Amino acid sequence: TLWKHFLEAVVSTQSTGFENRNQTNKMRQLHPKPLFDEPLLLEFLSERNIPLIHAQTLWKHFLKNPNSSFVDCLGLPKSLYPLLESEFAPLTSKIAKRDDSLDGSTTKLLIELQDGSRVETVVMRYDKREKESKSILKYTPNNNANGVGRATVCISSQVGCKMACTFCATGTMGFMSQLTSGEIIEQLIYAKQIEPIRNVVFMGMGEPLDNYDAVLMSIKAMLDVRRFGLSASHVCVSTVGVIPRMKQLINDFPEVHLALSLHAPTQELRTQIVPTAKAYPLDKLMSTLDLYFERGHKIMIEYIVIGNVNDNEETAHNLGKLLQGKSVVVNLIPYNPTLVKASFVPPTQDAILNFEKIVVSYGLLTTVRRTMGQDIAGACGQLVVQEGGCSSNGDKKSKNESGLVDIEDILSSKEPKDPPISKRKNKINKGVEIENIENEERIVSPTFHATTNTSTIKPVFLGLLVLLLLLRFIWKF
């Protein structure tokens, strides 16, 4: 009994910490309510004096049996079954359409919510043997069971988006509504039915930090070992730079990765590409990133490279100067043609390579994204509901002898202190293939050599020796 009360107190304390924040928009009133919406379920149980521990029983059952009914879930009070049937549904959304890319690397799900709204979710598959086979291998659960493959799901957080980025198809929809935490979690459940999921990236439709409470509650569920058990280092939240929420995120979930959609190194150019940059000036945005750097974070800088807009040499130098000396991974993303008003074009291959070379010359870890799912409009910037960000565009892979490395490992790694920039410029090595939390990429970075500082070892050893002798002397007398 004491153990049950303790668990109830823990669940209650964890949930209320996220419920009292001010939302920019009210959530939709859903009926039935999503079972995986933690605040709604806990409130429902609490109001009826039903032990909160039954929430874990329900989640555990329906994660294993998402298509079953409430009567199939054993161990609940008899009075609870009819109440659940009248108020909740294990899944409140459904898959309206599924598209698979020709190479088998990407699956895009069109998910219909109970009010008829639709969002898109993208599952991306990777295989460690791809480099050896020179082609993308069909990713299967058997491969994953053997530790060969892994999959990432790109999740949506809103129906539409307020940010209106000029290159992004989702922005053409305008903002329609917020997703509840349960509806966000349901996307992960559908993705897990397709592939075992290793990584989650909030890079789908919507600005995650503009739906802060729901995104936070969904991350909490993802990291809960009794539910999904994902590692915080395998969750990444992308933002155009909602500064107040960025400051909150590092306190609420300090181990979750952050990706910043920068797209330009100057305030003037960034405002043209990202209209909301007017509300969040570049200088204040960079100051906010310092909070992450102070805590040892490595930030992914997402940079959509648009032909004849932000791909020239001067812009590359400005980007290098802006980020020089900071713990970042610069992710260059060639623009994907999509349904936007602006007449944008992809950059040329030479422009991308030259841009990358200049940025790397400033000692910055730099990747060029090999996109996945472009043939099914599932690539970065292409997500938009066309009925009612993630592509296979034939990029050539770089040839090297290095293995595949996950980008989340790069973001989590502890680097030795950077050598002076003048020395780092002479230590650029050839590109190596890496695997990104969202896409596989080619990476070019400075080479850092870790050295052991032996000067501190001798004093420490001598100090311990003196301490042992002193203790022996005291013990004798």
XYZ file of all heavy atoms in Angstrom, residues 420-476:
464
model
N 43.821 26.423 -31.171
C 43.592 27.720 -31.802
C 43.152 27.553 -33.239
O 43.540 26.611 -33.924
C 44.975 28.394 -31.715
C 45.640 27.719 -30.560
C 45.146 26.307 -30.560
N 42.329 28.486 -33.721
C 41.782 28.396 -35.070
C 42.885 28.320 -36.107
O 42.791 27.587 -37.082
C 40.885 29.616 -35.355
C 39.680 29.595 -34.406
C 40.395 29.610 -36.790
C 38.804 28.392 -34.549
N 43.967 29.052 -35.901
C 45.043 29.067 -36.887
C 45.637 27.682 -37.073
O 46.072 27.317 -38.156
C 46.146 30.044 -36.455
O 46.647 29.669 -35.173
N 45.669 26.888 -35.984
C 46.190 25.531 -36.095
C 45.157 24.581 -36.656
O 45.474 23.665 -37.389
C 46.655 25.048 -34.717
C 47.846 25.819 -34.177
C 48.295 25.255 -32.838
C 49.488 26.019 -32.299
N 49.947 25.485 -31.000
N 43.873 24.811 -36.299
C 42.824 23.910 -36.750
C 42.659 23.948 -38.257
O 42.273 22.981 -38.879
C 41.498 24.273 -36.084
C 41.356 23.717 -34.691
C 39.961 23.931 -34.199
N 39.797 25.296 -33.721
C 38.638 25.813 -33.393
N 37.547 25.098 -33.521
N 38.533 27.045 -32.954
N 42.948 25.093 -38.871
C 42.746 25.218 -40.307
C 43.619 24.250 -41.080
O 43.300 23.867 -42.193
C 43.047 26.655 -40.747
C 41.989 27.652 -40.286
C 42.302 29.041 -40.771
C 41.231 30.035 -40.333
N 41.527 31.403 -40.782
N 44.744 23.846 -40.481
C 45.655 22.954 -41.180
C 45.371 21.488 -40.878
O 46.104 20.621 -41.279
C 47.101 23.286 -40.786
C 47.495 24.683 -41.230
O 47.074 25.128 -42.288
N 48.290 25.368 -40.409
N 44.279 21.252 -40.136
C 43.986 19.878 -39.726
C 42.667 19.389 -40.297
O 41.991 18.573 -39.710
C 43.962 19.778 -38.200
C 45.333 20.002 -37.571
C 45.274 19.786 -36.077
C 46.655 19.974 -35.450
N 46.621 19.736 -34.007
N 42.279 19.914 -41.449
C 41.052 19.467 -42.083
C 41.299 18.120 -42.749
O 42.234 17.950 -43.508
C 40.589 20.479 -43.144
C 40.515 21.876 -42.525
C 39.262 20.074 -43.733
C 39.541 21.961 -41.377
N 40.462 17.146 -42.446
C 40.626 15.844 -43.074
C 39.527 15.600 -44.093
O 38.619 16.390 -44.231
C 40.642 14.727 -42.011
C 39.352 14.695 -41.234
O 38.516 15.574 -41.391
N 39.201 13.684 -40.394
N 39.647 14.532 -44.810
C 38.680 14.219 -45.855
C 37.326 13.906 -45.252
O 37.202 13.509 -44.112
C 39.174 13.019 -46.671
C 40.435 13.323 -47.473
C 40.833 12.123 -48.282
C 42.085 12.423 -49.101
N 42.491 11.267 -49.900
N 36.286 14.064 -46.082
C 34.921 13.823 -45.606
C 34.710 12.371 -45.235
O 35.282 11.470 -45.830
N 33.887 12.124 -44.234
C 33.510 10.770 -43.862
C 32.002 10.699 -43.796
O 31.344 11.685 -43.522
C 34.104 10.368 -42.490
C 35.601 10.375 -42.537
C 33.592 11.275 -41.388
N 31.457 9.523 -44.065
C 30.008 9.374 -44.012
C 29.558 9.246 -42.565
O 30.161 8.556 -41.769
C 29.576 8.131 -44.781
C 29.681 8.300 -46.270
C 29.178 7.082 -47.002
O 28.747 6.139 -46.333
O 29.236 7.079 -48.231
N 28.474 9.916 -42.245
C 27.889 9.753 -40.923
C 26.423 9.450 -41.107
O 25.873 9.607 -42.199
C 28.044 11.010 -40.052
C 27.170 12.148 -40.618
C 29.462 11.455 -39.959
C 27.054 13.281 -39.664
N 25.781 9.042 -40.043
C 24.344 8.841 -40.089
C 23.702 9.822 -39.133
O 24.018 9.872 -37.962
C 23.994 7.425 -39.694
C 22.553 7.111 -39.964
C 22.290 5.657 -39.730
O 23.209 4.877 -39.974
O 21.193 5.320 -39.306
N 22.817 10.637 -39.638
C 22.181 11.706 -38.871
C 20.953 11.180 -38.148
O 20.366 10.216 -38.557
C 21.794 12.800 -39.884
C 21.111 13.968 -39.249
O 20.900 13.992 -38.042
N 20.771 14.927 -40.062
N 20.546 11.876 -37.056
C 19.309 11.511 -36.383
C 18.139 11.699 -37.314
O 17.098 11.115 -37.126
C 19.101 12.360 -35.120
C 19.288 13.828 -35.425
C 19.987 11.918 -34.013
C 19.050 14.727 -34.264
N 18.293 12.526 -38.335
C 17.191 12.670 -39.292
C 17.569 12.073 -40.632
O 16.770 11.441 -41.283
C 16.837 14.145 -39.466
C 15.673 14.324 -40.403
C 15.317 15.776 -40.612
O 15.960 16.638 -40.023
O 14.399 16.020 -41.407
N 18.786 12.285 -41.114
C 19.184 11.809 -42.430
C 20.641 11.388 -42.407
O 21.422 11.838 -41.591
C 19.065 12.919 -43.487
C 17.668 13.449 -43.591
O 17.326 14.357 -42.871
N 16.877 12.879 -44.461
N 21.028 10.546 -43.359
C 22.429 10.211 -43.493
C 23.122 11.346 -44.213
O 22.580 11.946 -45.123
C 22.594 8.917 -44.275
C 24.028 8.446 -44.285
C 24.187 7.237 -45.145
O 23.185 6.583 -45.428
O 25.310 6.978 -45.555
N 24.347 11.661 -43.812
C 25.017 12.818 -44.342
C 26.483 12.525 -44.596
O 27.032 11.543 -44.154
C 24.921 13.981 -43.340
C 23.505 14.284 -42.926
C 23.475 15.170 -41.709
O 24.546 15.396 -41.130
O 22.396 15.636 -41.358
N 27.120 13.458 -45.293
C 28.566 13.451 -45.424
C 29.095 14.515 -44.497
O 28.567 15.611 -44.415
C 28.976 13.776 -46.860
C 30.473 13.715 -47.102
C 30.736 13.773 -48.585
N 30.182 14.974 -49.172
C 30.797 16.154 -49.136
N 31.948 16.277 -48.531
N 30.246 17.210 -49.702
N 30.118 14.173 -43.757
C 30.622 15.107 -42.750
C 32.054 15.497 -43.058
O 32.856 14.679 -43.456
C 30.532 14.501 -41.338
C 31.063 15.484 -40.300
C 31.306 13.220 -41.221
C 30.820 15.056 -38.886
N 32.355 16.764 -42.900
C 33.716 17.254 -43.021
C 33.999 18.028 -41.766
O 33.236 18.898 -41.378
C 33.883 18.174 -44.246
C 35.307 18.687 -44.331
C 33.535 17.430 -45.515
N 35.077 17.693 -41.093
C 35.325 18.352 -39.822
C 36.810 18.468 -39.566
O 37.618 17.744 -40.135
C 34.687 17.548 -38.689
O 35.356 16.317 -38.539
N 37.189 19.377 -38.660
C 38.576 19.442 -38.231
C 38.908 18.176 -37.462
O 38.050 17.564 -36.845
C 38.606 20.666 -37.307
C 37.354 21.401 -37.592
C 36.360 20.379 -38.036
N 40.160 17.759 -37.468
C 40.599 16.608 -36.701
C 41.169 17.088 -35.385
O 42.072 17.925 -35.351
C 41.692 15.825 -37.473
O 41.147 15.421 -38.722
C 42.136 14.603 -36.688
N 40.665 16.550 -34.305
C 41.148 16.921 -32.983
C 41.903 15.740 -32.403
O 41.447 14.605 -32.477
C 39.982 17.285 -32.062
C 39.191 18.459 -32.553
C 38.012 18.269 -33.265
C 39.631 19.741 -32.313
C 37.288 19.349 -33.707
C 38.895 20.823 -32.762
C 37.731 20.629 -33.459
N 43.058 15.995 -31.809
C 43.860 14.942 -31.206
C 43.856 15.125 -29.699
O 44.348 16.124 -29.176
C 45.293 14.978 -31.730
C 45.378 14.785 -33.215
N 45.262 13.544 -33.804
C 45.526 15.666 -34.234
C 45.360 13.668 -35.123
N 45.515 14.943 -35.405
N 43.300 14.140 -28.983
C 43.265 14.228 -27.535
C 44.623 13.847 -26.975
O 45.232 12.865 -27.382
C 42.197 13.284 -26.982
N 45.136 14.603 -26.052
C 46.411 14.312 -25.408
C 46.205 14.218 -23.913
O 45.340 14.869 -23.342
C 47.439 15.414 -25.703
O 46.905 16.665 -25.259
C 47.737 15.497 -27.188
N 47.002 13.408 -23.246
C 46.899 13.243 -21.810
C 47.798 14.247 -21.117
O 48.994 14.336 -21.403
C 47.332 11.816 -21.410
O 46.519 10.900 -22.130
C 47.157 11.604 -19.920
N 47.260 15.001 -20.206
C 48.021 16.000 -19.477
C 48.673 15.327 -18.282
O 48.087 15.189 -17.208
C 47.095 17.129 -19.025
C 47.868 18.278 -18.411
O 49.084 18.224 -18.303
N 47.132 19.315 -18.016
N 49.928 14.898 -18.469
C 50.622 14.157 -17.415
C 51.132 15.067 -16.318
O 51.533 14.600 -15.255
C 51.809 13.390 -18.022
O 52.667 14.328 -18.682
C 51.319 12.368 -19.030
N 51.095 16.386 -16.565
C 51.642 17.308 -15.572
C 50.825 17.306 -14.279
O 51.316 17.682 -13.227
C 51.683 18.728 -16.149
O 50.386 19.158 -16.469
N 49.557 16.888 -14.368
C 48.705 16.893 -13.177
C 48.715 15.549 -12.454
O 48.208 15.442 -11.344
C 47.259 17.226 -13.563
O 46.795 16.247 -14.481
C 47.179 18.607 -14.189
N 49.299 14.515 -13.082
C 49.255 13.186 -12.493
C 50.200 13.065 -11.303
O 49.832 12.563 -10.243
C 49.585 12.119 -13.552
C 48.498 12.125 -14.640
C 49.701 10.737 -12.926
C 48.755 11.144 -15.763
N 51.448 13.565 -11.442
C 52.443 13.430 -10.384
C 52.026 14.116 -9.088
O 52.111 13.519 -8.014
C 53.788 13.965 -10.881
C 54.422 13.066 -11.942
C 55.784 13.595 -12.359
C 56.417 12.695 -13.412
N 57.733 13.213 -13.848
N 51.566 15.385 -9.119
C 51.132 16.023 -7.868
C 50.009 15.260 -7.168
O 50.000 15.156 -5.943
C 50.663 17.407 -8.336
C 51.418 17.663 -9.577
C 51.545 16.337 -10.233
N 49.078 14.743 -7.941
C 47.967 13.994 -7.347
C 48.473 12.723 -6.688
O 48.087 12.370 -5.565
C 46.906 13.655 -8.420
C 45.853 12.710 -7.848
C 46.253 14.926 -8.921
N 49.383 12.015 -7.365
C 49.953 10.767 -6.827
C 50.720 11.032 -5.535
O 50.573 10.314 -4.544
C 50.857 10.124 -7.871
C 51.552 8.872 -7.383
C 50.836 7.674 -7.295
C 52.874 8.896 -6.997
C 51.457 6.531 -6.836
C 53.493 7.747 -6.537
C 52.785 6.558 -6.461
N 51.548 12.086 -5.533
C 52.328 12.422 -4.348
C 51.416 12.812 -3.187
O 51.669 12.468 -2.036
C 53.291 13.558 -4.675
C 54.443 13.203 -5.636
C 55.253 14.444 -5.972
C 55.348 12.148 -5.015
N 50.340 13.541 -3.503
C 49.405 13.937 -2.449
C 48.753 12.742 -1.791
O 48.606 12.688 -0.554
N 48.353 11.729 -2.609
C 47.750 10.520 -2.058
C 48.740 9.738 -1.206
O 48.386 9.185 -0.159
C 47.228 9.641 -3.199
C 46.005 10.163 -3.948
C 45.705 9.272 -5.156
C 44.793 10.199 -3.030
N 49.999 9.712 -1.648
C 51.043 8.997 -0.902
C 51.264 9.625 0.461
O 51.352 8.938 1.483
C 52.338 8.988 -1.712
C 53.513 8.191 -1.105
C 53.124 6.717 -0.954
C 54.748 8.324 -1.982
N 51.325 10.950 0.495
C 51.514 11.665 1.761
C 50.335 11.409 2.690
O 50.499 11.206 3.901
C 51.685 13.183 1.506
C 51.638 13.961 2.814
C 52.995 13.451 0.781
N 49.115 11.411 2.132
C 47.915 11.182 2.934
C 47.924 9.789 3.551
O 47.583 9.605 4.735
C 46.674 11.350 2.057
C 45.322 11.150 2.756
C 45.148 12.158 3.873
C 44.178 11.273 1.763
N 48.344 8.767 2.777
C 48.411 7.405 3.296
C 49.429 7.285 4.416
O 49.198 6.627 5.439
C 48.754 6.431 2.160
C 47.646 6.183 1.117
C 48.188 5.354 -0.038
C 46.472 5.472 1.770
N 50.594 7.929 4.260
C 51.619 7.892 5.301
C 51.140 8.563 6.578
O 51.401 8.099 7.692
C 52.896 8.572 4.794
C 53.651 7.827 3.676
C 54.797 8.683 3.155
C 54.184 6.490 4.200
N 50.398 9.665 6.399
C 49.876 10.381 7.561
C 48.845 9.542 8.317
O 48.860 9.491 9.559
C 49.231 11.696 7.099
C 48.670 12.612 8.205
C 49.784 13.042 9.151
C 48.012 13.836 7.591
N 47.964 8.872 7.573
C 46.978 8.011 8.207
C 47.630 6.849 8.951
O 47.185 6.454 10.035
C 46.003 7.474 7.146
C 45.040 8.500 6.545
C 44.254 7.874 5.398
C 44.066 9.000 7.606
N 48.703 6.297 8.384
C 49.418 5.194 9.039
C 50.068 5.666 10.333
O 50.046 4.968 11.342
C 50.481 4.638 8.082
C 51.236 3.445 8.648
C 52.231 2.902 7.662
N 52.951 1.770 8.248
C 53.941 1.132 7.637
N 54.322 1.540 6.431
N 54.536 0.113 8.204
N 50.619 6.882 10.313
C 51.259 7.463 11.493
C 50.226 7.661 12.613
O 50.458 7.327 13.774
C 51.915 8.793 11.121
C 52.553 9.493 12.301
C 53.797 9.092 12.791
C 51.893 10.531 12.928
C 54.357 9.731 13.868
C 52.469 11.183 14.013
C 53.715 10.782 14.487
N 49.046 8.198 12.250
C 47.997 8.434 13.236
C 47.479 7.105 13.811
O 47.225 6.994 15.007
C 46.829 9.217 12.578
C 47.289 10.611 12.200
C 45.624 9.307 13.514
C 46.278 11.395 11.402
N 47.340 6.074 12.960
C 46.849 4.782 13.393
C 47.777 4.142 14.446
O 47.354 3.513 15.392
C 46.719 3.873 12.202
C 46.219 2.480 12.558
C 44.974 2.118 12.906
C 47.012 1.301 12.611
N 44.898 0.785 13.166
C 46.144 0.232 12.996
C 48.358 1.005 12.380
C 46.597 -1.079 13.135
C 48.783 -0.304 12.521
C 47.922 -1.325 12.904
N 49.095 4.345 14.317
C 50.060 3.780 15.249
C 49.883 4.358 16.640
O 50.044 3.659 17.662
C 51.487 4.039 14.768
C 51.975 3.031 13.743
C 53.449 3.217 13.489
C 53.992 2.091 12.590
N 55.440 2.217 12.384
